[in-house]
Amino acid sequence: MEEWRFAIQIAAFSGRGDPTPIAETEKPLPAAVKDNRDKLLERAMSRHQYSGDALIEVLHTAQELYGFLSPERLKTIARKLRLPPSRVLGVASFYHFFSLEPKGEHTMVVCLGTACYVAGALGLVEVLQRRCGAGSKVSVQTARCIGSCGLAPAVIADGKILARVTKASLGAELDRIG
Amino acid sequence: MSVKTLEIDGKMLTGVAGETIFSVAWNKGIRIPRLCHIGGISDVGACRLCLVEIEGQKKLQASCLTPVEEGMVVHTDTPKLRAHRRLIVELLFAERNHICSVCVMNGDCELQELATELGIDHVRVRYQFPSLPVDLTHERFGLDHNRCILCTRCIRVCDEVEGAHTWDMLGRGTNSRVISDLGEPWGASDSCTSCGKCVQVCPTGALFAKGKAVGEMRKDRTFLKYIVTAREKKQWIE
Ligand code: SF4
Ligand code: FES
């Protein structure tokens, strides 16, 4: 899986911390569920007649089904939609919605939009970076304005918005989810 | 084909409908600066160096993407444009690690040439000094990301002329990077045909042939016109 590491190193070349090592396979799941996911992805592609124009929709489905886009998955999608692999990775890496790495059990998205930034969101990112390093259960992400400026600084914890977050309240939330 | 008459830098010129300001100007020897444009492949308007002023329009327009219109009055070289171009080139220098003195393209680099033309003797913005790799895995060529200006010429020539689409762009913003296939080393690419077109069109020393010493690399871009004319008109002319 050397190739994949290379891609990840590239993806992580952002100065935003070290590249996270990539799990070689996805989290083990009951066989039935797993088969089902492959089928669902296949169905999404056939619904679009395997058209290359449906790349974003298909990536969307794959992201939702598997939680992240592995190199094998991207390769399969490229082949089935008859697209060059580089374009598929290019698109997948362009949108923040797609992740190329498996996510932790929990996700924390810190809003870095102007309002949250001014209200000290960077301090929150620091706390998360310090506490949620390699091997942590929590994946840390940032976003550009989640549209809740009145709640600045805002953090989305596992899909739930936390308002007017302070370093202390964020610390308490991290303690809570362990 | 309808003909459009317009004024560029005080000269009355004509172009056919759909032709760009850039192409009409260059055909008449008005050399608008450019880095991402190269004749023979599509234009994307990535570098913004070809910006021009059009009378009656507030916004500057990328001449490589703007079709000529009847009665247009275009200025390609004003103090305002020069100031913008200068800043763009300074930003390009600051964004990656362009060290001409150790580059294979020293003396034949489009970025260097443009900087000289614009009289850039220093850069006013802070250098980023990103830490970037050099891919030397291909048998005959190398890719030094430090010298890449993200013009996407390599991506377009590979897709449109060679048809392999080995290259594409990873990520966005300052994190953008040219990748081959699924981000694997160039040498491991299944789709690359080793044709070398990307190397020839690359304006800087980012893509180069191996075995060249400092200042030794020269690029030949005449092949592009030759192939494209042959393909489109079935005429094999120099
Ligand atoms: S490698 Fe060369 S041709 Fe390709 S994007 Fe970079 S500067 Fe442009
Ligand atoms: S040449 Fe027009 S934007 Fe680059």
Side-chain angles (χ1 to χ4, degrees), chain B:
Chain B
M1 244 186 279
S2 79
V3 173
K4 311 272 181 193
T5 311
L6 71 161
E7 190 187 311
I8 304 181
D9 292 349
K11 281 190 209 161
M12 292 308 286
L13 303 175
T14 52
V16 292
E19 200 177 352
T20 63
I21 298 176
F22 185 93
S23 132
V24 172
W26 269 67
N27 286 341
K28 288 292 177 309
I30 301 172
R31 296 168 59 97
I32 303 174
R34 47 91 176 100
L35 280 175
C36 68
H37 167 90
I38 182 165
I41 55 176
S42 64
D43 283 305
V44 289
C47 74
R48 314 314 282 176
L49 279 157
C50 71
L51 288 177
V52 293
E53 287 186 52
I54 303 173
E55 284 186 13
Q57 294 191 18
K58 264 204 211 120
K59 270 171 54 187
L60 303 176
Q61 300 291 346
S63 59
C64 71
L65 287 177
T66 312
V68 290
E69 270 165 42
E70 187 63 38
M72 257 183 177
V73 182
V74 181
H75 302 281
T76 73
D77 194 13
T78 63
K80 180 175 170 186
L81 290 172
R82 288 186 79 82
H84 281 312
R85 286 178 188 144
R86 189 186 158 122
L87 184 60
I88 293 170
V89 173
E90 285 180 38
L91 289 168
L92 286 175
F93 276 115
E95 191 174 24
R96 298 218 166 169
N97 307 304
H98 297 275
I99 321 286
C100 302
S101 56
V102 294
C103 180
V104 286
M105 279 287 273
N106 193 0
D108 194 36
C109 168
E110 290 186 39
L111 179 64
Q112 189 184 43
E113 229 168 75
L114 197 57
T116 316
E117 252 172 59
L118 291 167
I120 297 177
D121 46 14
H122 67 288
V123 169
R124 292 163 294 173
V125 287
R126 198 157 47 92
Y127 279 88
Q128 301 296 301
F129 299 119
S131 145
L132 294 166
V134 180
D135 186 343
L136 292 173
T137 55
H138 192 283
E139 207 188 334
R140 286 164 49 210
F141 312 120
L143 167 55
D144 184 346
H145 291 280
N146 295 285
R147 303 169 182 158
C148 173
I149 56 166
L150 305 173
C151 68
T152 72
R153 277 187 193 181
C154 52
I155 299 175
R156 286 172 284 145
V157 83
C158 184
D159 173 63
E160 297 168 23
V161 184
E162 178 61 11
H165 202 117
T166 298
W167 301 114
D168 213 305
M169 193 63 78
L170 182 94
R172 54 155 88 184
T174 44
N175 304 327
S176 304
R177 184 109 60 104
V178 169
I179 43 156
S180 46
D181 294 348
L182 276 184
E184 49 233 271
W186 190 0
S189 162
D190 294 329
S191 63
C192 175
T193 61
S194 302
C195 71
K197 291 185 180 69
C198 52
V199 176
Q200 298 305 328
V201 298
C202 176
T204 70
L207 284 163
F208 56 93
K210 283 187 174 174
K212 300 281 182 199
V214 171
E216 270 186 7
M217 178 87 202
R218 290 295 173 264
K219 296 191 178 176
D220 177 14
R221 306 198 170 103
T222 48
F223 80 92
L224 198 50
K225 202 168 169 210
Y226 181 77
I227 296 184
V228 174
T229 319
R231 183 171 297 167
E232 284 171 3
K233 306 199 177 127
K234 294 278 166 266
Q235 287 174 359
W236 284 261
I237 45 177
E238 294 296 318

Side-chain angles (χ1 to χ4, degrees), chain A residues 3-21:
Chain A
E3 309 146 19
W4 183 238
R5 290 232 173 76
F6 187 78
I8 289 305
Q9 275 164 18
I10 298 178
F13 138 76
S14 54
R16 279 197 244 116
D18 293 328
T20 327

